[in-house]
Amino acid sequence: MVNIAALEPKVVWEHFQTLCDIPRPSKHEQALRDYLQGWAELRGLDTTIDAVGNLIIRKPATPGMENRAGVVMQGHLDMVCQANTGTVHDFFNDPIRPVLQDGWLIAENTTLGADNGIGVALGLAALSADDIPHGPLEVLLTLDEEAGMGGALGLEAGLLQGKMLINIDTEEWGEFYMGCAGGIDVNVRRDYACEPLPAGYEVRQLTVAGLRGGHSGADIHLGRGNANKVLIRLLQELGEVTDLRVASFNGGTARNALAREAFAVVAYPVADAATVAAKLDAYQALMRFELAGVDEGVSLAANPAEAGSVMARDAQQAVFAALHAAPHGVKRMSQRVHGVVETSNNLGVISIADGKVFTNLMVRSLLDSGFRNLAGEIEALFGLAGFAVETEGGYPGWAPNPASPLLALCQRVFREQFGGDSAVQVIHAGLECGIIGAKYPQMDMVSFGPNIRGAHAPGERVEVASVGKAWQLLQAVLAAVPAA
C-alpha cells in the first residue's frame, strides 16, 4: 500500500487520497459530495447543489484576471465498482487501497476509480492552489455518470456561468478530445415457467473466467471476449450433444464494462457426463485459439452444484436463441473520423433466475440516429422472443468542432509547455460534454487527462508522471485563457 497523498504533485494527490478513502459507487456519492461541499465552504468558496445533486464550486478570479473568460472544470464523482472473483471488497464501505508499481498507481484486484477520480482531483487542486493565476473558475462535479449520465442529464440550463468547459475525463495523455459518442440503454425482461429437475440428471455450475474485460466504449474495438457471449455460445453447443437444461445464468456486473465472468447452473443426463466433459475441453481450447493475442487466458470450469428446478423447455429455447443472436461489439466504423468506432453494443449484464430474465445492452454511436437504429433492431429481436423491452438514459453525442478556440488554445499551450505537438481525437466512449453542450450550446469544450489503463476492470491503473503533466497543462491553460 502506498501513501497516495505523498506523491507529486501533492496538491493533486491529496485529493485523490480522499476519493480513495470515501466510497463512491454510482448513485451513492452523497457522502463524498457532502464532504467536498464542506471542504469548499471552509475555504470560503461558494457552493451550489442542484436539483439532482450535482455539486458546483466557484472560485473568484485572481487579482488582475477578472476580465478573463470564465472556465468550468468538469468531472464525475462516481466510479465503476468491479472486483476479481475471490476478492473480498465492499465498495459501499471499504476504501480503495492501491499500490505503486513501476510508476503506475494500481488497484490490483479491484477498480481504482482513477476514472474519474483523477479528473475530480485536478479540479479540486485548481480550487485549493493559491499560487496559480486564473480567471473565474467553476468546478462541476456530477453524479451517476457511470450508471446512466443521470447527473449531467439533470443539470439545469443557465446554472453555469463559464464560457469554456474543460472536461477532465479522458485516458490518453497528449491527446485532446473534441467529440464523443452518445448512447442509450436497452433493458429486456421476460418471465418464464419452471419445471422440476429431471431424474437421472447431474447438476453443474459452468464458469467462464479469465477474460480481461475493460471499458465498453474505449475497448470495444479490441476484440476482447465477452463472458456472456462465450457462455451462451457454449450452452447452445452443449444443447446439440446432450439434453441440456438451464437452472440459472448470471453474467457481467456493469452495463459499461465488458463482461469478464459468467456463470450458469445447468443439468444434463448422468450418462452424458463424459460427452459434456469432452465438449468443455474442446470448447476451452477453441476459445483460447479464437481469442489469441487478446484474451487467451479465458478458462472454463464445471463444478458440482444444486438445483431444484430448471427452465421450461420452450422458454429456455426462446431465451437463449435471442441472447445468442443479440449483437455485441462493433457494428460500424466511422466513415467521418478515421479509425474510430461509430456504432457498437455491449451485452453487459444478464440475470436469469427464479422465473425472471433481465438483460442490459448498452448501445453507443457517434450518430444519434445510429444508436437509436441499433437499439430499435435489438428491441425488435427480443420482441420476437416475447421479451418486454424498454430504453432508458438516452444521451446525445458531442459533435466535433475542429474550429474550437479552446482546442486551439490548449494545443498552443501544450506545445509551449512540452515542446511537441498533441493529438486531437474523437472517442467512442461517452463523455458528459454532449449532454452539457445540449444545455449550453454556446459553451466551448475540450477534454484531456493523464494515462489511465484498464478503466472499468480490476487492475485499473494511472501513470503518476502523466498526472503531473496534466496538472502542469491545466495550470498553464487557465493562465492563458483570454479576456471574455
Side-chain angles (χ1 to χ4, degrees):
M1 192 169 66
V2 62
N3 180 7
I4 301 171
L7 298 174
E8 293 291 345
K10 290 186 174 64
V11 69
V12 177
W13 289 108
E14 65 186 7
H15 293 296
F16 189 68
Q17 177 76 71
T18 298
L19 298 174
C20 288
D21 289 342
I22 302 177
R24 49 192 175 98
S26 299
K27 305 184 188 298
H28 297 273
E29 311 96 322
Q30 182 176 345
L32 175 60
R33 183 203 62 197
D34 292 349
Y35 172 87
L36 294 178
Q37 182 183 31
W39 169 86
E41 291 178 347
L42 284 174
R43 296 186 62 84
L45 302 175
D46 177 67
T47 68
T48 299
I49 294 179
D50 71 5
V52 295
N54 300 313
L55 174 62
I56 301 170
I57 306 173
R58 296 185 174 92
K59 183 180 181 182
T62 53
M65 302 279 283
E66 293 86 356
N67 69 332
R68 302 298 180 97
V71 174
V72 180
M73 291 170 287
Q74 188 267 320
H76 61 85
L77 291 176
D78 60 324
M79 64 174 282
V80 170
C81 299
Q82 295 264 293
N84 285 326
T85 298
T87 297
V88 178
H89 188 93
D90 182 352
F91 282 100
F92 295 95
N93 294 290
D94 297 343
I96 302 294
R97 289 290 177 258
V99 297
L100 194 62
Q101 293 181 0
D102 299 323
W104 293 75
L105 191 69
I106 179 172
E108 295 176 293
N109 292 300
T110 70
T111 39
L112 173 62
D115 173 15
N116 181 227
I118 293 295
V120 173
L122 286 163
L124 295 172
L127 293 174
S128 59
D130 296 323
D131 57 349
I132 62 173
H134 56 76
L137 295 183
E138 295 169 274
V139 173
L140 168 62
L141 303 175
T142 54
L143 308 182
D144 197 32
E145 191 267 358
E146 300 289 10
M149 302 280 189
L153 287 168
L155 180 69
E156 301 172 25
L159 192 60
L160 299 175
Q161 301 167 5
K163 302 302 182 185
M164 298 179 171
L165 183 141
I166 300 174
N167 168 276
I168 319 173
D169 191 17
T170 52
E171 300 163 8
E172 292 287 343
W173 167 248
E175 296 184 353
F176 292 108
Y177 288 80
M178 63 171 181
C180 73
I184 196 166
D185 284 271
V186 183
N187 295 320
V188 299
R189 293 178 172 85
R190 174 184 160 145
D191 294 338
Y192 63 87
C194 296
E195 298 175 352
L197 178 70
Y201 280 55
E202 69 178 23
V203 181
R204 293 289 185 269
Q205 176 176 276
L206 303 181
T207 299
V208 172
L211 296 171
R212 294 178 62 185
H215 193 295
S216 68
D219 298 325
I220 197 74
H221 64 292
L222 299 177
R224 294 177 183 172
N226 179 311
N228 288 328
K229 296 296 283 185
V230 171
L231 186 52
I232 290 164
R233 178 177 165 187
L234 172 61
L235 298 184
Q236 294 294 96
E237 295 193 12
L238 283 173
E240 297 173 0
V241 299
T242 186
D243 181 31
L244 188 77
R245 306 301 301 274
V246 179
S248 66
F249 188 109
N250 180 42
T253 59
R255 54 189 275 284
N256 52 5
L258 304 175
R260 298 177 297 108
E261 298 175 333
F263 311 87
V265 175
V266 302
Y268 47 82
V270 173
D272 290 341
T275 299
V276 170
K279 182 66 176 178
L280 291 177
D281 288 343
Y283 188 75
Q284 176 174 271
L286 177 63
M287 288 300 98
R288 289 179 174 176
F289 175 76
E290 289 187 1
L291 295 172
V294 288
D295 257 328
E296 60 278 344
V298 61
S299 65
L300 303 178
N303 295 305
E306 296 182 356
S309 62
V310 294
M311 300 177 73
R313 291 182 186 277
D314 59 345
Q316 178 178 316
Q317 180 179 2
V319 167
F320 283 96
L323 290 172
H324 189 48
H328 170 81
V330 176
K331 170 77 170 181
R332 187 171 190 264
M333 297 299 291
S334 175
Q335 303 304 303
R336 295 172 175 83
V337 186
H338 178 70
V340 175
V341 177
E342 180 182 277
T343 305
S344 74
N345 177 65
N346 180 45
L347 183 60
V349 179
I350 301 175
S351 173
I352 302 174
D354 302 323
K356 295 187 179 298
V357 179
F358 170 78
T359 299
N360 171 269
L361 305 98
M362 186 176 184
V363 184
R364 303 177 189 264
S365 182
L366 298 181
L367 307 178
D368 291 356
S369 60
F371 72 69
R372 296 194 184 280
N373 180 59
L374 182 53
E377 293 179 4
I378 294 169
E379 183 174 0
L381 166 66
F382 282 97
L384 290 172
F387 285 78
V389 185
E390 63 178 5
T391 58
E392 66 174 0
Y395 58 92
W398 171 22
N401 176 21
S404 159
L406 178 56
L407 175 61
L409 171 67
C410 288
Q411 291 177 298
R412 175 176 64 80
V413 171
F414 186 94
R415 285 193 298 270
E416 293 170 352
Q417 293 291 316
F418 303 104
D421 289 332
S422 54
V424 178
Q425 299 285 357
V426 174
I427 190 172
H428 186 61
L431 298 173
E432 292 158 292
C433 298
I435 303 170
I436 297 171
K439 300 170 186 288
Y440 295 84
Q442 303 306 315
M443 187 174 286
D444 194 5
M445 298 185 289
V446 74
S447 181
F448 66 85
N451 285 324
I452 296 173
R453 300 290 181 267
H456 297 190
E460 178 187 357
R461 61 196 186 277
V462 58
E463 187 184 34
V464 173
S466 69
V467 173
K469 293 176 182 177
W471 173 234
Q472 179 182 339
L473 176 64
L474 179 61
Q475 294 177 83
V477 169
L478 293 177
V481 168

